[in-house]
């Protein structure tokens, strides 16, 4: 089933799109988290769409509404019942909302590389002080920064989903969303690469790596905020174990 471009009616279409059940399962399990994620079940409906229900009835209403909000952000129309959540197909309103949110992310949080650098410095410094293994630091910082950005997980959830519609207006909206998602995915990759680079610099105690990004703020002295953050965060001396790791890496090269 698919809502038409006017948003006021449903049209019987193909059964569940390929990969839809798995994608809905991933989204709902992520939203439910460790509390109820393992008890999320998804099944196809006869005329298209899927139904979602939880094993644990505790806080079911709260989880259903959280899941519905995230599924609507993906562009689907949902209905919340007393014991299950129904996903009934693509919504013109939902897809337009997703396009707006993707555009807002590109001009908002994903345009602020200094914030990612600051977050990476704080996380890396805290983990170093807590004795976190140096060799695992870049991956951990990158993962935590990815969680803060939120969009990497949202886009990863959609892996394997075939998005289609028999209605031309919805096909155009789906194509628009796909184009914006590709831009967001590339921008997220740039943020995560910066976070990993900052973490390696903090862990190694070296001078800050130049990480100039279009639009980044620059101080009167010409040093960007990213570089200044790393400068005040790296240790004055390189620990022996880090030096040994760096030397081994250099020998391997």
């Amino acid at each position: 089933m698919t809502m038409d471009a006017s948003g006021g009616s449903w049209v019987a279409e193909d059964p569940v799109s390929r990969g839809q059940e798995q994608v809905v399962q991933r989204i709902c399990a992520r939203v439910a988290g460790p509390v109820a994620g393992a008890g999320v079940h998804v099944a196809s409906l006869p005329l298209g769409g899927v139904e979602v229900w939880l094993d644990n009835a505790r806080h079911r209403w709260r989880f259903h509404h959280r899941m519905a909000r995230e599924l609507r952000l993906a562009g689907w129309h949902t209905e919340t019942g007393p014991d299950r959540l129904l996903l009934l197909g693509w919504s013109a309103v939902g897809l337009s909302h997703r396009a707006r949110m993707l555009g807002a992310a590109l001009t908002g949080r994903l345009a602020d590389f200094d914030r990612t650098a600051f977050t990476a410095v704080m996380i890396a410094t805290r983990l170093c002080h807590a004795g976190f293994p140096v060799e695992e630091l870049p991956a951990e910082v990158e993962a935590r920064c990815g969680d803060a950005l939120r969009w990497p997980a949202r886009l990863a959830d959609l892996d394997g989903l075939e998005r289609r519609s028999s209605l031309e207006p919805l096909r155009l909206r789906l194509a628009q969303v796909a184009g914006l998602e590709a831009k967001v995915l590339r921008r997220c990759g740039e943020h995560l690469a910066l976070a990993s680079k900052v973490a390696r610099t903090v862990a190694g105690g070296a001078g800050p790596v130049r990480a100039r990004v279009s639009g980044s703020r620059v101080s009167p002295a010409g040093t960007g905020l990213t570089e200044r953050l790393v400068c005040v965060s790296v240790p004055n001396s390189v620990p022996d174990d880090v030096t040994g790791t760096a030397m081994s890496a250099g020998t391997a090269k």
Side-chain angles (χ1 to χ4, degrees):
M1 289 180 287
T2 301
M3 184 175 283
D4 68 11
S6 65
S9 62
W10 292 95
V11 179
E13 207 182 46
D14 298 328
V16 177
S17 300
R18 189 169 60 211
Q20 187 174 13
E21 283 190 35
Q22 292 82 354
V23 167
V24 172
Q25 176 86 33
R26 284 198 295 267
I27 292 174
C28 292
R30 174 173 59 82
V31 172
V35 176
V40 173
H41 300 280
V42 178
S44 300
L45 294 171
L47 297 179
V50 299
E51 58 180 342
V52 182
W53 69 96
L54 297 171
D55 282 338
N56 190 346
R58 187 181 181 187
H59 306 305
R60 177 181 290 162
W61 183 90
R62 177 163 57 91
F63 283 124
H64 278 174
H65 281 271
R66 286 182 179 178
M67 294 172 185
R69 185 168 58 248
E70 197 70 16
L71 291 169
R72 286 196 296 269
L73 180 58
W76 283 302
H77 177 82
T78 64
E79 298 285 348
T80 305
D83 61 346
R84 61 195 57 222
L85 173 67
L86 301 179
L87 184 150
L88 301 174
W90 296 118
S91 162
V93 173
L95 290 171
S96 296
H97 175 63
R98 183 170 182 81
R100 286 194 301 270
M101 294 299 292
L102 288 163
L106 287 169
T107 58
R109 176 63 184 90
L110 293 179
D112 190 354
F113 285 88
D114 283 342
R115 182 175 173 183
T116 293
F118 176 82
T119 302
V121 167
M122 295 299 102
I123 294 172
T125 303
R126 185 168 63 249
L127 290 176
C128 282
H129 289 167
F132 193 85
V134 174
E135 64 277 6
E136 300 176 14
L137 188 66
E140 180 66 18
V141 171
E142 183 177 328
R144 296 193 186 191
C145 286
D147 290 340
L149 293 173
R150 302 185 72 177
W151 280 104
R154 285 171 171 165
L155 296 180
D157 284 340
L158 300 180
D159 184 47
L161 176 65
E162 181 181 273
R163 288 180 280 188
R164 63 174 185 265
S165 174
S166 62
L167 302 175
E168 181 65 20
L170 287 184
R171 284 202 297 270
L172 293 175
R173 281 186 168 88
L174 286 168
Q176 177 192 16
V177 165
L180 288 168
E181 286 176 351
K183 293 180 180 178
V184 168
L185 185 61
R186 287 194 298 270
R187 188 73 61 81
C188 286
E190 294 170 0
H191 278 268
L192 298 182
L194 173 61
S196 180
K197 183 183 293 185
V198 169
R200 290 195 302 271
T201 304
V202 172
V209 179
R210 298 292 295 181
R212 301 307 314 137
V213 181
S214 177
S216 296
R217 296 187 296 275
V218 179
S219 68
T223 302
L225 177 59
T226 300
E227 289 83 353
R228 287 184 280 126
L229 283 170
V230 179
C231 273
V232 301
S233 302
V234 296
N236 292 325
S237 60
V238 183
D240 294 338
D241 57 343
V242 177
T243 305
T245 302
M247 292 178 64
S248 299
T251 304
K253 290 180 181 180

